[in-house]
């Protein structure tokens, strides 16, 4: 059998601490180990995007763009990767094409090499603008399939989507298993089918939530998977990824040998170990996210969505309704066209399920976001909506439902945004921070100005709200 070395994408600087520590690792905590990480020979280091942008502004009082530039300065030999939510960019709403294009341009200009682009409904119309912009900027565009289970999600469905991704001009495909639902033998079957039908490289991103991730990676690699996402061991397992050192050792001496040096990885592990211990002792890292949660497989609910739901029930003194809400989630998901449960669809389905249970009547009240899904404002779901739910929630507003790409209805926004925030602007990128998170960005701009003028930043006029992990 010919050698086919496996490539590793390290997630310690983005998804690992997002999954385990609510994205609270600071830039200063990361910088000292970058030189060592740069020597490993990773395929890429995922270090930006996802929730890091929001958390930097909202909680850490950091400029996410400055973080990226520092990463780029430190990583001389390693590609940098980010996660990008299609037309949502890094926010929770759809933005105009001019904002999406400018964000891609500035991300690559500041140091990103690979942009992993996904849509919560797998509606490829919501990805095209970002993919085209990435190609223009000479970046690597990787489109992610938001993996989920359900009647509609057959092998033929995934093959069809993969072929359409290839036709769009993407450079690679990622199977994004955000909830740990991809079981080992199914991983082998899925990867094998994709490799038979497309020529693009395939990457597997999965979470350990259900306890099967390492086995799923093993079967995927044997079936032809080219790259896998892993996290250095202090930041691995639980709701994070498989451990880098374990997967490197698993494939040592096989045709898939990564060639990565365990001595170097041990040094990186030793660096992150006290950061993990500090997070544990400080309550930032909860033991609840470190174990196996079998409810993930029972109800197809990602770990982050479960913790959000528990928090919502606690606020309402209704923790005894937990099991009832878990059973309601799959019903709401079916009503709303069976979307994959990933940001923001996971929050929409979860919140509506909580509401249905607490109100004692299904859809007696519906959130604005539930109405948005039923009106087509997020894109097209793989299955039709429950007509009874559409009637109850929308009533006469059904006539306002859209069938086009949602962003086609959004006028260009950049010029207006530039005018709104010009008093705060110190760099081109500031308008993009403002576009995605206006309140948090202005808070940060005030903090930055106070720092620059010598005022105690803690006394600056800033307010920080809650953050959906």
């Amino acid at each position: 059998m010919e050698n086919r070395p496996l490539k590793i994408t390290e997630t310690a600087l983005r998804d690992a601490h997002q999954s385990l520590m609510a994205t609270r690792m600071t830039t200063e905590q990361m910088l000292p180990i970058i030189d060592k990480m740069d020597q490993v020979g990773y395929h890429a280091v995922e270090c930006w995007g996802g929730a890091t942008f929001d958390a930097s502004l909202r909680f850490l009082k950091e400029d996410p763009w400055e973080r990226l530039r520092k990463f780029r300065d430190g990583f001389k030999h390693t590609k940098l990767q980010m996660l990008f939510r299609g037309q949502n960019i890094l926010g929770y709403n759809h933005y105009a094409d001019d904002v999406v294009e400018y964000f891609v341009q500035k991300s690559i200009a500041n140091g990103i090499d690979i942009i992993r682009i996904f849509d919560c409904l797998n509606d490829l119309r919501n990805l095209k603008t970002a993919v085209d912009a990435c190609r223009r900027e000479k970046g690597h565009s990787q489109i992610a399939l938001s993996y989920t289970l359900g009647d509609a999600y057959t092998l033929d469905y995934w093959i069809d989507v993969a072929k359409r991704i290839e036709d769009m001009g993407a450079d690679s495909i990622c199977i994004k298993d955000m909830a740990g639902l991809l079981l080992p033998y199914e991983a082998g079957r899925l990867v094998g089918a994709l490799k038979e039908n497309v020529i693009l490289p395939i990457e597997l991103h999965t979470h350990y939530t259900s306890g099967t991730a390492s086995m799923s990676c093993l079967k995927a690699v044997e079936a032809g998977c080219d790259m896998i996402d892993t996290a250095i061991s202090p930041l691995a397992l639980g709701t994070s990824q498989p451990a880098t050192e374990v997967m490197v050792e698993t494939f040592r001496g096989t045709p898939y040998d990564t060639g990565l040096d365990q001595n170097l990885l041990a040094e990186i592990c030793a660096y992150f170990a006290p950061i993990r211990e500090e997070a544990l002792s400080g309550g930032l890292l909860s033991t609840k996210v470190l174990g196996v949660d079998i409810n993930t497989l029972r109800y197809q609910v990602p770990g982050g969505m479960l913790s959000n739901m528990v928090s919502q029930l606690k606020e309402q003194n209704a923790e005894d309704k937990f099991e009832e809400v878990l059973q309601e989630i799959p019903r709401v998901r079916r009503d709303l066209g069976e979307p994959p449960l990933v940001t923001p669809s996971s929050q929409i389905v979860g919140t509506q399920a909580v509401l249905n249970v607490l109100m004692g009547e299904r859809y007696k009240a519906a959130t604005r976001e539930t109405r948005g899904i039923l009106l087509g404002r997020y894109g097209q779901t793989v299955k039709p909506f429950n007509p009874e739910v559409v009637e109850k929630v929308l009533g006469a507003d059904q006539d306002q439902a859209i069938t086009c790409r949602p962003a086609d209805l959004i006028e260009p926004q950049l010029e207006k945004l530039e005018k709104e925030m010009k008093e705060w602007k110190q760099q081109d990128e500031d308008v993009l921070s403002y576009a995605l998170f206006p309140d948090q960005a202005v808070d940060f701009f005030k903090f930055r100005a106070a720092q620059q003028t010598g005022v105690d930043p803690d006394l600056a006029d800033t307010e920080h709200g809650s953050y959906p992990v």
Side-chain angles (χ1 to χ4, degrees), residues 352-399:
Q352 188 60 54
V354 169
L355 207 54
N356 285 358
V357 169
L358 294 184
M359 298 294 286
E361 179 186 330
R362 305 188 77 231
Y363 303 100
K364 182 177 183 180
T367 66
R368 182 183 64 180
E369 291 77 14
T370 294
R371 288 177 57 83
I373 281 208
L374 294 173
L375 286 166
R377 289 178 184 158
Y378 291 87
Q380 186 172 5
T381 54
V382 67
K383 292 188 84 171
F385 305 127
N386 181 337
E388 293 175 6
V389 171
V390 172
E391 179 62 38
K392 185 168 186 177
V393 172
L394 297 182
D397 291 345
Q398 292 175 60
D399 296 341

